[in-house]
Amino acid sequence: QVQLVESGGGLVQPGGSLRLSCAASGSSFSIYAMRWYRQTPGNQRDLVALIIKDGTTNYADSVKGRFTISTNDAKNTVYLQMNSLRPEDTAVYYCNVVTGMGDYWGQGTQVTVSS
């Protein structure tokens, strides 16, 4: 079993920045990829960014150039640095980890961009 604990959400003004963190823990496991999704009420959960074990990253078009996904050296914590935030970035953000034992999800953290 893998546990994911997210942190870093909150209220920020347009143009501001936030950094989300998601720490993975549990029994011995191999992480193949770590991803951030976001979801607004009544909509599906959309992929925002992903990072693969070899360091390859990919981003949704809407966040390219503004968001950066990274991991710590141990590759058990994933970050999402969000800059130049816009009101349309408001959502609940979820981390997702792909392991040899399956996919796991964080509890979600609210990000609100508003003046």
Side-chain angles (χ1 to χ4, degrees):
Q1 189 74 6
V2 175
Q3 293 81 42
L4 301 176
V5 177
E6 298 181 34
S7 61
L11 172 64
V12 64
Q13 292 188 341
S17 298
L18 281 175
R19 189 174 87 148
L20 306 182
S21 299
C22 175
S25 63
S27 55
S28 177
F29 55 91
S30 295
I31 294 177
Y32 300 127
M34 305 180 88
R35 303 180 284 199
W36 286 98
Y37 286 76
R38 65 187 181 188
Q39 186 173 28
T40 54
N43 294 307
Q44 66 182 20
R45 200 169 288 188
D46 293 327
L47 180 64
V48 175
L50 67 87
I51 185 164
I52 301 173
K53 188 177 180 180
D54 66 359
T56 301
T57 59
N58 203 1
Y59 299 90
D61 288 343
S62 59
V63 307
K64 280 181 183 175
R66 301 188 298 122
F67 290 12
T68 303
I69 190 170
S70 62
T71 64
N72 63 347
D73 290 343
K75 298 192 189 310
N76 57 9
T77 300
V78 62
Y79 307 99
L80 186 67
Q81 177 66 43
M82 304 185 293
N83 299 328
S84 301
L85 282 161
R86 305 167 180 168
E88 53 264 38
D89 295 318
T90 296
V92 178
Y93 284 70
Y94 297 90
C95 68
N96 169 269
V97 172
V98 181
T99 77
M101 298 186 293
D103 278 28
Y104 295 88
W105 290 90
Q107 79 279 10
T109 185
Q110 177 70 47
V111 171
T112 302
V113 184
S114 175
S115 55

